[in-house]
Amino acid sequence: MEIKGRKIGKGFPTYIIAEMSANHAGDISRAKEIICAAKEAGADCIKIQTYTPDTLTIDCDNKYFHISDGTWSGENLYQLYQKAYTPWKWQKELLEEAEKVGIDFFSTPFDNTAVDFLEEIGVEFYKIASFELVDIPLIEYVASKGKPVIMSTGMATLAEIDEAVTAVKRQENQNVALLRCASAYPAITDEMNLRTMQNMGETFNVPVGLSDHSMGSVGAVTAVALGASIIEKHFCLDRSIENPDSSFSMNPKEFASMVKDIRQAEKAIGRVQYGPTEQEKGNLQFRRSIFCIQDIQKGQKITEDNIRIIRPGNGLQPKYYKEILGQTALQDIERGTPLSFEMIGK
């Protein structure tokens, strides 16, 4: 896929997204600070979410709208989203802040009104959250804008992912990527099943990556080694700044360390290359080769007693050892001399 002229997929650098989510804790100045900190930490992109409590749910207090376990246990959905949402009146200003510091900016819309709003302020690509992957009408509406769409696949069956990808392509939009995701907060590494990410890429022939809610960077770096083209992690200034997402977010130092590890992993993956690297060339001399280990007089036979395969590598290659046994020295050869074809003959 291509985002703002940048190609994303096999053979290209990993696209690293810092998810702000609720980590602004209701302060636009902090939101701007997060954008700057994400850029400094090496993120390629900052992501926000565009919803209000009323676009996600209804203000209702019966049992269906209460969270009974996990990070947000005891919360009412409507009240949780009131704490977590990013005010729409901030979002154009945040986009402009991102442009100013030189980091990409996009958002996750949760209904058509959010898509319309993001179109108005000039967002250039979109994210579909895992929980919305089954909202085919929303996906179709997002895809109809003709812009790149990144979709998280937490909890999704293969059939559900297929329906979502088909919905995007039905709008004649081929610019789509899929992220493996464990929709738990925080997620545990044991349940990442990153081979599923590889299989999604093979099955749908699209770029794949990881939306990572686990602590630390093991999952992200492993995903890159397995072919991830996109990594998304929640990003905060400090986990002590209380908000619904802080407990499973990375601080700037941790995020920068992850980016460094990802970039080193990309270098380690490298390309297909046989033969010595530049760094190895100087050590070719320490390979084994055929040396004279006794003084040999002209006319004397070459035997197992007067030659050996030893280090260093200045003589004939060991593969010629049996071939030259029994040949005759054409000159005097001093002990410790690397053997060459010019010195011997039949």
Side-chain angles (χ1 to χ4, degrees), residues 156-213:
T157 65
L158 184 61
E160 288 169 338
I161 298 169
D162 184 53
E163 288 173 352
V165 171
T166 300
V168 174
K169 294 186 175 181
R170 200 159 45 232
Q171 303 301 313
E172 299 183 355
N173 187 336
Q174 304 297 319
N175 224 354
V176 61
L178 296 172
L179 303 186
R180 176 65 180 164
C181 177
S183 293
Y185 307 89
I188 58 173
T189 309
D190 307 33
E191 295 185 3
M192 281 187 176
N193 295 317
L194 292 173
R195 291 194 186 279
T196 310
M197 177 196 74
Q198 290 181 307
N199 185 259
M200 284 195 307
E202 294 162 1
T203 302
F204 297 103
N205 194 29
V206 297
V208 292
L210 175 67
S211 177
D212 185 12
H213 300 135

Side-chain angles (χ1 to χ4, degrees), residues 1-189:
M1 74 185 307
E2 191 169 310
I3 291 176
K4 299 180 70 173
R6 173 172 172 170
K7 293 189 183 299
I8 295 171
K10 290 180 181 178
F12 298 99
T14 308
Y15 191 71
I16 301 175
I17 300 168
E19 163 69 270
M20 183 188 305
S21 193
N23 282 303
H24 52 70
D27 185 337
I28 189 172
S29 297
R30 185 177 292 119
K32 290 181 178 180
E33 194 176 346
I34 287 172
I35 291 170
C36 295
K39 170 67 176 177
E40 290 175 7
D44 298 298
C45 179
I46 188 81
K47 188 179 84 68
I48 63 168
Q49 299 181 7
T50 304
Y51 65 86
T52 70
D54 294 295
T55 64
L56 268 182
T57 189
I58 58 172
D59 189 0
C60 182
D61 204 38
N62 70 29
K63 64 179 181 179
Y64 303 109
F65 296 86
H66 279 268
I67 302 171
S68 59
D69 54 24
T71 300
W72 304 301
S73 178
E75 290 275 8
N76 166 275
L77 285 180
Y78 191 88
Q79 293 168 0
L80 176 66
Y81 300 142
Q82 277 184 321
K83 295 176 187 176
Y85 90 110
T86 303
W88 293 21
K89 63 183 179 181
W90 295 2
Q91 295 193 15
K92 183 172 176 55
E93 199 171 333
L94 296 181
L95 183 152
E96 290 169 349
E97 181 70 16
E99 289 175 343
K100 185 169 74 175
V101 302
I103 189 171
D104 291 346
F105 177 98
F106 78 134
S107 183
T108 304
F110 290 82
D111 78 324
N112 289 7
T113 67
V115 178
D116 293 340
F117 169 76
L118 292 169
E119 285 291 296
E120 287 175 15
I121 68 172
V123 168
E124 297 185 54
F125 56 113
Y126 289 101
K127 172 78 186 293
I128 299 294
S130 290
F131 293 85
E132 276 59 49
L133 193 76
V134 293
D135 189 346
I136 299 302
L138 174 63
I139 292 172
E140 288 178 333
Y141 193 65
V142 169
S144 73
K145 304 306 175 183
K147 296 176 180 177
V149 183
I150 299 171
M151 299 195 290
S152 281
T153 62
M155 305 171 291
T157 65
L158 184 61
E160 288 169 338
I161 298 169
D162 184 53
E163 288 173 352
V165 171
T166 300
V168 174
K169 294 186 175 181
R170 200 159 45 232
Q171 303 301 313
E172 299 183 355
N173 187 336
Q174 304 297 319
N175 224 354
V176 61
L178 296 172
L179 303 186
R180 176 65 180 164
C181 177
S183 293
Y185 307 89
I188 58 173
T189 309

Side-chain angles (χ1 to χ4, degrees), residues 224-299:
V224 170
L226 291 174
S229 298
I230 302 169
I231 295 293
E232 178 183 283
K233 287 283 271 188
H234 278 67
F235 183 87
C236 69
L237 295 178
D238 192 319
R239 281 188 291 275
S240 67
I241 301 171
E242 191 173 339
N243 69 83
D245 294 337
S246 57
S247 65
F248 54 88
S249 297
M250 275 187 159
N251 65 34
K253 183 178 180 181
E254 293 165 338
F255 197 95
S257 178
M258 178 191 72
V259 172
K260 181 181 177 183
D261 288 345
I262 286 172
R263 299 307 179 207
Q264 284 300 117
E266 289 172 333
K267 291 176 183 177
I269 293 164
R271 64 187 188 279
V272 176
Q273 180 199 315
Y274 296 100
T277 64
E278 285 300 316
Q279 189 178 18
E280 291 173 323
K281 283 180 180 177
N283 285 328
L284 286 172
Q285 62 180 312
F286 300 118
R287 281 179 157 186
R288 298 173 78 92
S289 69
I290 303 171
F291 265 77
C292 174
I293 60 167
Q294 292 180 358
D295 288 341
I296 302 175
Q297 304 300 316
K298 181 178 179 180

